[in-house]
């Protein structure tokens, strides 16, 4: 069943280029490659983010886990699927190793050699630092989108938080270092596509136990979008009563940048959304100290206007509100159903 898919996938991975990062901190392809899509990607819904097993286990770890599991499953279809995953991830490891070798051959600076070192390490083990994890996220996101420019990125601040905090504690990276890597990551995304895409990054919100999922990394991601001044990624913030006030302030700084200078590098097709649970809305806005000016709240039964700022609040469900930036030069519809915080 999966034979043709695996064959085509491996062939494409073997042929993929290894563009030199030049002045960039991260390596990766930005062009689109064509092949029989139906024989490489079966029914991939690009609205959903990838799983995070590759961050926890590493590329070879996923391959080994799939191979091991294939020996204990009950059906031939399950065995074939897991064996196919093992083959593809081994080939991804080979691609990373080939990429690392190419970068090392051309490297002239410590920064370029470090990029090559990251690629080599990621070919054999899980990421151990924030920069390695971000490099691997981009490589895997790009492999998924070789034939389609759009795909969701998910909750990066949650998935990368552990390594971020580890590097902050150890001194391996500074906040400025992290910001520089995030800016490089955003710029790579914009070179792939820009505008009406599925490049959604969700920050903030809650963990599964109800605790605050926001962190200093959430703030830096908002800051990076503000500094990048391009449409990608579409940043989404999930708000709740215990959210760190620093995230509110980062939201405000981001929105004020666009409101004051909407033409500076921003393109009108982008969507950046802040999600408020309806039950929290009344206390969230005052906590954020938002300027009171032309804010609208659209309900199913009517359209009432609440002055808060040059942003829109659109009720997109029974129990949550999407808080959206709006200006004459920067206007867009509500976020897709299901991306907001739900009680």
């Amino acid at each position: 069943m999966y034979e043709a898919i695996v064959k085509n996938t491996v062939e494409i991975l073997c042929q993929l280029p290894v563009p030199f990062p030049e002045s960039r901190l991260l390596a990766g392809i930005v062009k689109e490659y064509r092949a029989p899509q139906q024989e490489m990607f079966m029914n991939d819904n690009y609205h959903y983010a990838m799983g995070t097993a590759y961050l926890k286990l590493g590329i070879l770890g996923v391959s080994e886990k799939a191979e091991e599991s294939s020996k204990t499953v009950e059906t031939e279809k399950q065995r074939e699927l897991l064996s196919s995953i093992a083959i593809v991830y081994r080939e991804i490891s080979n691609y990373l190793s080939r990429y690392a070798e190419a970068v090392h051959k051309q490297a002239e600076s410590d920064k370029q050699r470090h990029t090559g070192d990251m690629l080599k390490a990621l070919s054999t083990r899980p990421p151990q630092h924030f920069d390695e994890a971000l490099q691997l996220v981009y490589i895997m996101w790009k492999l998924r989108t070789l034939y389609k420019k759009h795909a969701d990125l998910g909750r990066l601040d949650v998935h990368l938080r552990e390594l971020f905090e580890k590097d902050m504690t150890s001194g391996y990276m500074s906040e400025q270092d992290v910001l520089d890597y995030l800016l490089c990551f955003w710029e790579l995304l914009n070179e792939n596509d820009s505008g009406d895409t599925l490049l959604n990054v969700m920050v903030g919100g809650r963990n599964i136990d109800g605790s605050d999922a926001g962190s200093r990394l959430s703030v830096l991601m908002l800051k990076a979008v503000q500094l990048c001044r391009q449409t990608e990624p579409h940043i989404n913030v999930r708000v709740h009563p215990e959210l760190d006030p620093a995230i509110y302030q980062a939201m405000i700084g981001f929105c004020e940048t666009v409101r004051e200078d909407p033409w500076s590098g921003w393109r009108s097709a982008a969507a950046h959304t802040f999600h408020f649970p309806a039950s929290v809305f009344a206390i969230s806005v005052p906590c954020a100290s938002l300027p009171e000016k032309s804010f609208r709240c659209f309900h199913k039964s009517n359209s009432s206007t609440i002055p808060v700022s040059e942003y829109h609040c659109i009720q997109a469900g029974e129990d949550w509100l999407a808080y959206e930036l709006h200006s004459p030069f920067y206007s867009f519809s509500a976020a897709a159903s299901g991306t907001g915080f739900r009680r």
Side-chain angles (χ1 to χ4, degrees):
M1 177 180 179
Y2 301 104
E3 184 177 352
I5 301 170
V6 173
K7 178 177 179 294
N8 286 326
T9 302
V10 170
E11 287 180 357
I12 292 300
L13 288 170
C14 289
Q15 298 169 11
L16 281 180
V18 287
F20 189 63
E22 299 293 348
S23 60
R24 287 198 178 108
L25 295 170
L26 298 172
I29 300 169
V30 294
K31 293 182 179 180
E32 185 179 18
Y33 291 83
R34 299 289 184 183
Q37 182 172 346
Q38 70 276 11
E39 294 187 1
M40 183 171 177
F41 297 105
M42 285 181 57
N43 303 318
D44 187 351
N45 188 325
Y46 295 91
H47 289 75
Y48 299 98
M50 292 179 66
T52 57
Y54 70 93
L55 288 173
K56 299 173 183 176
L57 302 176
I59 299 301
L60 275 185
V62 171
S63 179
E64 293 166 358
K65 182 69 173 178
E67 188 65 38
E68 179 184 349
S69 299
S70 71
K71 300 173 183 178
T72 60
V73 293
E74 298 179 355
T75 70
E76 179 63 22
K77 183 178 180 181
Q78 290 174 319
R79 186 203 65 77
E80 186 182 1
L81 173 60
L82 289 167
S83 295
S84 299
I85 291 172
I87 293 169
V88 169
Y89 270 74
R90 279 199 299 272
E91 197 55 50
I92 293 173
S93 172
N94 291 337
Y95 172 64
L96 289 170
S97 181
R98 177 163 61 90
Y99 205 156
E101 183 179 357
V103 171
H104 278 138
K105 283 183 178 179
Q106 299 181 65
E108 297 180 349
S109 67
D110 289 342
K111 180 172 63 175
Q112 292 166 346
R113 282 186 281 273
H114 178 67
T115 301
D117 291 343
M118 288 197 298
L119 292 167
K120 185 61 177 178
L122 292 170
S123 72
T124 61
R125 62 160 173 78
Q128 296 179 353
H129 298 284
F130 176 84
D131 53 354
E132 294 178 353
L134 200 62
Q135 175 66 85
L136 190 55
V137 167
Y138 182 76
I139 293 287
M140 293 301 290
W141 176 85
K142 185 57 191 176
L143 291 180
R144 184 189 181 192
T145 59
L146 287 175
Y147 307 97
K148 184 178 176 67
K149 299 177 183 178
H150 312 156
D152 204 303
L153 282 162
R155 304 182 71 185
L156 288 185
D157 62 334
V158 172
H159 302 323
L160 304 181
R161 178 176 179 174
E162 183 177 349
L163 290 177
F164 165 76
E165 292 181 344
K166 171 190 169 185
D167 288 345
M168 289 297 100
T169 300
S170 68
Y172 174 82
M173 298 183 78
S174 66
E175 286 197 357
Q176 184 59 52
D177 294 332
V178 170
L179 193 59
D180 290 342
Y181 271 93
L182 287 171
L183 281 167
C184 180
F185 186 71
W186 293 170
E187 288 165 1
L188 284 169
L189 295 178
N190 278 280
E191 288 195 30
N192 280 276
D193 198 13
S194 180
D196 185 16
T197 70
L198 298 175
L199 281 170
N200 295 308
V201 171
M202 185 71 74
V203 301
R206 295 183 186 274
N207 296 308
I208 194 169
D209 62 1
S211 60
D212 180 23
S215 66
R216 184 61 187 168
L217 181 56
S218 311
V219 173
L220 291 177
M221 286 185 172
L222 282 163
K223 181 67 173 176
V225 173
Q226 180 183 355
L227 293 174
C228 186
R229 305 178 80 83
Q230 297 189 68
T231 61
E232 311 306 324
H234 298 177
I235 200 77
N236 298 263
V237 182
R238 300 199 294 184
V239 177
H240 58 89
E242 292 79 35
L243 189 70
D244 187 343
I247 297 178
Y248 281 112
Q249 295 304 318
M251 289 162 53
I252 295 167
F254 163 74
C255 291
E256 288 300 305
T257 297
V258 182
R259 184 178 67 84
E260 293 170 2
D261 193 8
W263 283 111
S264 295
W266 298 81
R267 281 163 275 185
S268 61
H272 300 283
T273 310
F274 307 136
H275 300 282
F276 289 86
S279 60
V280 176
F281 177 74
I283 62 172
S284 295
V285 172
C287 285
S289 302
L290 295 171
E292 296 186 358
K293 189 177 176 184
S294 67
F295 183 87
R296 296 189 179 94
C297 184
F298 296 92
H299 295 276
K300 291 181 178 180
S301 58
N302 63 355
S303 293
S304 58
T305 300
I306 302 175
V308 175
S309 187
E310 287 188 6
Y311 320 123
H312 281 178
C313 178
I314 301 175
Q315 184 165 345
E318 292 294 335
D319 57 356
W320 63 281
L321 297 169
Y323 181 57
E324 268 192 356
L325 170 64
H326 176 83
S327 80
F329 308 106
Y330 201 79
S331 180
F332 35 81
S333 61
S337 176
T339 58
F341 173 83
R342 296 181 183 275
R343 287 184 296 181

